[in-house]
Amino acid sequence: MKSLFCFIVGLFFIATVSAQSLYEAGYFIDNNGKRTECLIKKLTWKSNPTEFEWKRTISSSSKTETIENIKEFAVGEDYRFKRYILQFDLNGDTVGKSTKSKDPNLRYKKIFLRTILKSKTTLYQYSEKGVHRFFYTDPNTIYPELLLYKVFYTPDETKKPGKKIIPQENNTYQQQLQEKVNCENQDVSKLTYTQRDLKRYFKKYNECKGNKIEYIIRKKINQTRIGIVAAVDLSSFTHNSIAGSAGNVSYEDIFVPRYGIFVETFIPFSKVDLSFFLESTYKAFTMDGRDLAIANSEFELDYKSINVAVGPRFHIYLSSKFELFLEGGLTVDFNIGTESNVFAENEIENTTTDYFYGGGIGSGRFKVGFRQYTSKNISKSTQLPDSELTTSSVYLSVNIF
C-alpha cells in the first residue's frame, strides 16, 4: 500500500508539473513545403495564434516558429491551422462594440485559419478577442471565402424619452450558403453564425454530396476509445500450512494468459492528457503446491475469475509517434468457479479487491504496459485464514474504435 500511495502521489505531481508545458504530437510545414513531425506546445488558443513552440523530442530544447515562416501546423486532433492573407471585419459581435454601418469594413490580414471540418467543401474559423469569423473553400474557390455576418445598430427614432438604439444583424452568410453551399434545399433560415451550427450544416452538405469527411474537430466532451487487451500474468500463491506449523504452503509460480476488452475515456483538460479506463478480462489457471510439513502432500488451485480494473492513465508524449503513460487503480476479481483441494467451495471469497500501478509506452492504436498488483487474500476459511495471491502483468492493448 505504501508503494501504491507513493506512485499515485508521484503520478499527480508529474501531471501538475507537466500541465504547465505539455507538448503533444504534431507537425508543421514551412515556406519551402518541408513537413516536420515534432512535439508542439499545447495551449488554449481562444484567439488564433501567430506563433507556437515546438520540440523534436521531449528532452530537446524548445524552439519558436511564427506565421511568417510556417504555412500550416497541427497539434494532435484538436488543432489544425493553415496560413492565408484574407479580408474580413473584426468589429464586435455585440451591440456595445458594433457600428451603425450594415456593411463590414474589410481589411487584409495574414492569419492562421483553424480547420473546423475538412472535405471537398471545408469550413474554417478565425477568432480574435471574442469575435469569430467563418470561411469556406470548395472546388470552385482558390482562397477561403468569408461567410459574411455583422452586428450593427440603428437609432430608435421614436419620440419616447431617452436615446436608444436597435440592434440589427447582417446575415448575408445565409444567402451565400443558400446560393453556393446547399444540397437538397437545406434550410438556412434558422442557421446561426456559430461553430456548432455551421459545422453541422457543412457536415450534412458534404454527406449529401457524397464527399468524404477527412477531418472534423473533436467535440468538447470526453473522447472514448474501445479496444481489446491481451496479457500475460505472473502469479504466485501461498497459504498457511494445514499441519498447523509456522510454515506456509508455496505453489509454483505460473504464467497465466488473460484477455478481454476495455473502454478508455479522455478528459478534455486543455493542457493535460488524462484518461480513465475500465477494463474487463477473463483468466483461468491451475497451480500445484506442497506442504513441506506433510510428506507426499499435493495441493491444487484451479482458479477462474472475471477481473474488472478501473483507474486513471496519464499520457506524456515522447515524440510525434510515441507516448509514455503512467497508471494506477483498483481491481475487483469475481470468482466464477474456483476450486481447490485445500479450501472448500464456500471457503473461497466470491469477490476480492486489490490495487495496481504501472506504466508503459504507446504508439498509434497500440499500447504495451506493465502492472504490479498488491497481494490479496482469497481465503475465508477459519482454519486457514491467511492466503496471498500476488500478480504482476505485461499486456498489449489495441484500439478498435
Side-chain angles (χ1 to χ4, degrees), residues 148-181:
L148 200 154
Y149 169 79
K150 188 177 187 297
V151 174
F152 64 100
Y153 65 87
T154 57
D156 185 355
E157 297 179 354
T158 64
K159 295 182 180 181
K160 295 180 179 180
K163 185 177 180 180
K164 298 181 180 180
I165 59 174
I166 302 174
Q168 305 282 350
E169 290 183 341
N170 178 349
N171 292 323
T172 302
Y173 71 94
Q174 293 179 345
Q175 181 180 348
Q176 291 174 273
L177 295 175
Q178 181 68 51
E179 295 176 353
K180 299 179 180 180
V181 188

Side-chain angles (χ1 to χ4, degrees), residues 316-329:
I316 305 170
Y317 293 94
L318 302 176
S319 70
S320 59
K321 295 182 179 180
F322 294 96
E323 64 168 279
L324 177 71
F325 63 88
L326 303 172
E327 61 186 19

Side-chain angles (χ1 to χ4, degrees), residues 274-287:
L274 178 67
S275 64
F276 285 85
F277 64 91
L278 176 66
E279 179 185 286
S280 179
T281 54
Y282 169 79
K283 67 178 178 181
F285 61 87
T286 300
M287 53 174 37

Side-chain angles (χ1 to χ4, degrees), residues 127-284:
S127 299
E128 184 178 326
K129 296 179 180 179
V131 180
H132 308 287
R133 294 292 177 259
F134 295 92
F135 302 77
Y136 78 94
T137 57
D138 62 22
N140 300 317
T141 60
I142 299 176
Y143 298 103
E145 183 171 332
L146 172 66
L147 291 171
L148 200 154
Y149 169 79
K150 188 177 187 297
V151 174
F152 64 100
Y153 65 87
T154 57
D156 185 355
E157 297 179 354
T158 64
K159 295 182 180 181
K160 295 180 179 180
K163 185 177 180 180
K164 298 181 180 180
I165 59 174
I166 302 174
Q168 305 282 350
E169 290 183 341
N170 178 349
N171 292 323
T172 302
Y173 71 94
Q174 293 179 345
Q175 181 180 348
Q176 291 174 273
L177 295 175
Q178 181 68 51
E179 295 176 353
K180 299 179 180 180
V181 188
N182 196 282
C183 183
E184 296 183 354
N185 200 27
Q186 286 176 268
D187 183 17
V188 300
S189 62
K190 297 180 180 180
L191 187 68
T192 63
Y193 198 75
T194 59
Q195 183 192 111
R196 179 183 178 183
D197 270 16
L198 291 172
K199 182 174 67 173
R200 287 178 176 177
Y201 184 90
F202 274 78
K203 183 175 184 291
K204 184 177 180 180
Y205 171 82
N206 279 290
E207 290 173 343
C208 178
K209 291 291 187 179
N211 301 333
K212 179 182 178 182
I213 306 296
E214 300 177 34
Y215 169 81
I216 188 168
I217 63 167
R218 299 191 298 184
K219 297 178 181 178
K220 293 302 180 181
I221 59 174
N222 297 352
Q223 299 300 304
T224 301
R225 298 172 182 174
I226 300 174
I228 58 175
V229 59
V232 176
D233 294 352
L234 176 60
S235 296
S236 61
F237 182 59
T238 63
H239 60 73
N240 307 101
S241 171
I242 65 174
S245 62
N248 288 331
V249 177
S250 295
Y251 289 66
E252 295 181 358
D253 292 354
I254 188 173
F255 288 100
V256 181
R258 178 169 55 85
Y259 48 88
I261 61 174
F262 70 87
V263 177
E264 182 177 14
T265 297
F266 282 77
I267 306 302
F269 293 139
S270 60
K271 295 183 180 181
V272 179
D273 271 335
L274 178 67
S275 64
F276 285 85
F277 64 91
L278 176 66
E279 179 185 286
S280 179
T281 54
Y282 169 79
K283 67 178 178 181

